[in-house]
Amino acid sequence: MKRMSVALVVAGLLSVTIPGGAAHAAPESKSLDSVVKAIKKQFAKKSSVRFSVKRRGGPPATWDMKASGAYRFRASGVYAADTTEITQEPKGTGRSRGISIGREFYSQAYVRSKDGKYIWKLPATVGKWTYGRNFAGVIWGEDLIHGINPGFLKLGASHGATSADGGTFEGVKTTLHSGTVAVPELGERQAGMTFGTEEEGGSWSGPITWKLWVGPDNLPRRFHAIMRFTRPEGGDAETMTMNIIYRGWGTPVRITAPPKHLITDEW
């Protein structure tokens, strides 16, 4: 598995699926039911949340990444996303911004060297945006390793999740839900890190050790995951850590397409 460079992030076409072993279910945890219900209530209300992400490590060749942005919801989940991502790459610093609205996708990105020169940029004119639609890689889905993804939380609940006092996070008393689940697929696409529960052939699989801090309203405040990527033939595992912070549940968020005069069909 190779983490997407800025170029691939912008294209939004890459969907890497990396299978391996098997997942064995334990008795389902009921304590996460209230979290899933609270999240789905936000979906039904067409609410929103802001987020920030940090990722480190992973299979080669990968780069440390920071991202921030906002999600808008509809009943099925995330409908719109506005994400800015920063990566530290061998030749310089990459910066990309992607706006997804339904199946419409707008993006701009570049890599700059330490002396400020552009090594690569798309579109070629800074400030312009590329446009495309129906890119599977950018669409939110139940396969994401994410603290607000009901699909992942249900998987965690079915594999012996536990609950405890989570202390205080950013002034809010929390409950800490945690667990470990081994999945036969680990992967990455524009929308985030992914898991699969069916083996379809590939080179990576492994356990996900996760923690989720939720407030008194059962809405996530912080999600932490450690993913261990292993090959079926053995060898050293590669570790990725991911931390996501959620803020401003229900605070109005506007996610709109860029002005038409700035949009190109350049890829």
Side-chain angles (χ1 to χ4, degrees), residues 184-221:
E185 286 187 18
L186 285 170
E188 179 183 23
R189 55 190 180 86
Q190 168 65 22
M193 301 306 300
T194 64
F195 72 92
T197 56
E198 305 242 346
E199 245 182 89
E200 294 182 358
S203 58
W204 299 98
S205 64
I208 306 166
T209 299
W210 60 272
K211 296 180 180 180
L212 179 69
W213 289 261
V214 303
D217 54 6
N218 285 311
L219 291 174
R221 267 37 182 205

Side-chain angles (χ1 to χ4, degrees), residues 36-259:
V36 172
K37 288 178 182 177
I39 293 170
K40 288 188 172 182
K41 186 175 181 180
Q42 293 294 309
F43 291 172
K45 290 168 60 177
K46 298 182 179 180
S47 185
S48 58
V49 71
R50 296 187 180 278
F51 65 90
S52 61
V53 184
K54 290 183 180 180
R55 291 207 314 246
R56 293 181 63 87
T62 62
W63 301 292
D64 294 345
M65 181 274 280
K66 295 181 181 180
S68 61
Y71 294 131
R72 285 290 309 275
F73 307 133
R74 62 181 177 185
S76 59
V78 173
Y79 170 71
D82 186 342
T83 305
T84 297
E85 181 176 305
I86 307 293
T87 56
Q88 298 304 318
E89 306 186 15
K91 294 184 179 181
T93 299
R95 184 184 187 278
S96 66
R97 184 179 175 192
I99 297 176
S100 297
I101 304 174
R103 293 190 174 273
E104 312 291 321
F105 182 64
Y106 309 88
S107 63
Q108 54 182 202
Y110 59 77
V111 177
R112 298 182 78 174
S113 63
K114 291 181 180 179
D115 60 7
K117 293 181 180 179
Y118 288 98
I119 299 172
W120 175 88
K121 55 183 182 289
L122 187 69
T125 302
V126 175
K128 293 279 190 177
W129 294 78
T130 59
Y131 164 75
R133 64 173 295 136
N134 293 325
F135 291 159
V138 309
I139 305 300
W140 179 268
E142 291 282 290
D143 62 339
L144 293 176
I145 302 170
H146 216 295
I148 62 171
N149 175 19
F152 180 78
L153 298 183
K154 290 177 181 178
L155 177 71
S158 69
H159 286 73
T162 61
S163 302
D165 183 347
T168 301
F169 179 72
E170 295 188 335
V172 176
K173 291 183 178 180
T174 66
T175 298
L176 172 61
H177 302 283
S178 60
T180 297
V181 55
V183 294
E185 286 187 18
L186 285 170
E188 179 183 23
R189 55 190 180 86
Q190 168 65 22
M193 301 306 300
T194 64
F195 72 92
T197 56
E198 305 242 346
E199 245 182 89
E200 294 182 358
S203 58
W204 299 98
S205 64
I208 306 166
T209 299
W210 60 272
K211 296 180 180 180
L212 179 69
W213 289 261
V214 303
D217 54 6
N218 285 311
L219 291 174
R221 267 37 182 205
R222 179 188 175 197
F223 176 72
H224 184 266
I226 300 174
M227 290 155 273
R228 297 274 291 174
F229 295 83
T230 59
R231 297 179 182 274
E233 64 270 22
D236 294 337
E238 302 286 347
T239 300
M240 176 185 288
T241 61
M242 178 171 66
N243 191 61
I244 307 177
I245 306 298
Y246 307 98
R247 297 185 175 100
W249 282 98
T251 302
V253 166
R254 289 193 66 195
I255 298 178
T256 58

